[in-house]
Amino acid sequence: MVLVTPLTKLLGIRVPIVQGGMQWVGVPQLAAAVSEAGGLGILTALTQPSPDALREAIRETRRRTSKPFGVNITLLPSINPPDYEGYARAAVEEGVRIFETAGNAPGPLIKFFKSQGCIVIHKCTTIRHAKSAEKHGVDVLSIDGFECAGHPGEEDMGGLVLLARAAQELKVPFIASGGIADARGLAAALALGAAGANMGTRFMCTVESPIHHNIKETIVKSKEQDTVHIFRTLHNTARVYKNKISQEVVAIERRPGGAKFEDIRDLVSGQRGKKVYELGDPDYGIWTAGPAIGLINDIPTCQNLLSRIEKEVEGIVEGLSKTVVVKAKL
């Protein structure tokens, strides 16, 4: 069985799975491996220190695969924002034609990409924002449920309802994001009307993932209860791995009178999170993970992972087709 969906046809991929654009993780070796395995690999632009560094990352990815891959640009709330325009132009000039966007006020970025003939996948956590992005002309929407790693928004809406609502409301294809790590998740997403799925945490725990092996082993040993939300009181909720640092952040946020960002700035430093992946100490800093860790029990190659999902989805779909419907007699 070949899984043909609007996503596979639009992107020219075999498996309707998009790799999450994860900070420090979406690098050439992983993106290329996902694309070679039949999915859509994603380079994370802001993992690179400059637009020129992104150019080289794109070239390195091309040396590793001739198959389609994309670039993620996430718009972050920041006093000193990165050079988003520079990253976008560099990627387009290097021939990238698939982009994943996320964050607030993506209109100008989407307009630029569409003016260059690019395909845009935009990530949203609400149907309201998805419909707005649709008006901006995006080609695919990535619908992020409360189960996702990273920022699930502030409405705490689970994927089961959010995806069903997307099927009711959206005119362009959408993919499911959050809590998907295996064939059952993909099959469920397709049943809910999605054209595919976005997987982040699952790809962190693959052979080609650039993070330290100790962190991969930590993911394998973890359960679905081993994540926690931080920044709840700051209205910028983020789901991360439950460790000493994240629990300390939650404790500070729960103090009488709450907390200001300055109170936790050092604890949540992005550089400390990067060191987690480099040093292999899961308690060194904040790092992103979703409850899908409870579904992960091995560290396969991307090729083995996607081949397994393809095969198992086939069995699940065949099993559903054998469901007997008994009509009541009048």
Side-chain angles (χ1 to χ4, degrees):
M1 182 181 78
V2 177
L3 293 172
V4 178
T5 76
L7 185 76
T8 61
K9 290 190 281 188
L10 178 67
L11 303 183
I13 59 177
R14 194 185 77 250
V15 188
I17 290 178
V18 176
Q19 168 226 317
M22 300 167 282
Q23 183 73 338
W24 316 127
V25 182
V27 297
Q29 70 188 60
L30 178 61
V34 173
S35 290
E36 276 293 296
L40 183 75
I42 297 283
L43 287 176
T44 309
L46 299 187
T47 290
Q48 303 301 325
S50 68
D52 282 342
L54 177 59
R55 287 182 187 274
E56 182 49 44
I58 291 167
R59 292 169 188 171
E60 182 183 343
T61 307
R62 281 232 173 79
R63 288 192 288 269
R64 292 169 177 262
T65 183
S66 60
K67 295 182 179 178
F69 64 91
V71 168
N72 164 280
I73 299 183
T74 298
L75 300 164
L76 305 170
S78 174
I79 298 172
N80 300 304
D83 182 9
Y84 296 121
E85 184 178 341
Y87 282 107
R89 288 193 178 280
V92 168
E93 288 170 6
E94 288 299 319
V96 174
R97 288 296 176 266
I98 303 172
F99 288 88
E100 180 189 59
T101 57
N104 295 325
L109 205 57
I110 293 169
K111 184 178 180 181
F112 169 68
F113 289 139
K114 294 309 298 176
S115 75
Q116 300 299 308
C118 299
I119 294 169
V120 180
I121 303 168
H122 184 67
K123 184 170 285 192
C124 302
T125 60
T126 68
I127 301 303
R128 181 178 73 258
H129 291 140
K131 293 180 79 169
S132 175
E134 202 172 43
K135 290 177 183 176
H136 282 299
V138 303
D139 301 277
V140 179
L141 286 153
S142 181
I143 305 299
D144 242 7
F146 189 58
E147 305 89 340
C148 73
H151 295 279
E154 302 304 310
E155 297 189 2
D156 298 0
M157 189 60 62
L160 198 62
V161 170
L162 202 56
L163 294 171
R165 287 285 293 122
Q168 290 177 341
E169 296 281 345
L170 302 181
K171 296 180 177 64
V172 302
F174 64 92
I175 62 175
S177 182
I180 298 171
D182 59 13
R184 290 192 181 281
L186 177 58
L190 296 174
L192 283 162
N198 179 296
M199 296 197 315
T201 304
R202 173 66 269 197
F203 281 121
M204 288 173 65
C205 201
T206 56
V207 170
E208 295 90 350
S209 166
I211 67 178
H212 198 287
H213 189 73
N214 286 353
I215 303 304
K216 298 177 189 181
E217 291 286 3
T218 298
I219 291 172
V220 168
K221 294 173 185 174
S222 297
K223 303 299 181 186
E224 60 271 23
Q225 296 91 351
D226 291 329
T227 70
V228 67
H229 285 110
I230 60 173
F231 303 156
R232 291 290 263 177
T233 61
L234 302 177
H235 306 293
N236 188 31
T237 302
R239 188 189 289 276
V240 300
Y241 189 74
K242 185 188 289 184
N243 62 12
K244 292 176 182 177
I245 301 295
S246 59
Q247 289 178 295
E248 185 176 348
V249 170
V250 171
I252 292 172
E253 288 193 69
R254 287 176 177 170
R255 288 175 183 170
K260 296 178 180 178
F261 183 71
E262 290 71 24
D263 300 330
I264 56 177
R265 183 195 303 273
D266 292 340
L267 291 172
V268 301
S269 158
Q271 287 303 311
R272 286 186 68 156
K274 184 180 180 184
K275 287 289 185 183
V276 168
Y277 297 149
E278 293 173 351
L279 303 176
D281 179 357
D283 282 313
Y284 189 84
I286 296 293
W287 54 285
T288 300
I293 55 176
L295 300 170
I296 298 170
N297 54 27
D298 64 352
I299 308 171
T301 63
C302 291
Q303 182 66 58
N304 288 343
L305 174 63
L306 292 194
S307 294
R308 182 169 73 201
I309 289 175
E310 274 187 294
K311 182 179 178 181
E312 291 179 359
V313 165
E314 180 178 354
I316 292 166
V317 171
E318 286 181 354
L320 289 172
S321 69
K322 293 175 183 175
T323 300
V324 177
V325 178
V326 180
K327 294 182 179 180
K329 294 181 180 179
L330 296 177

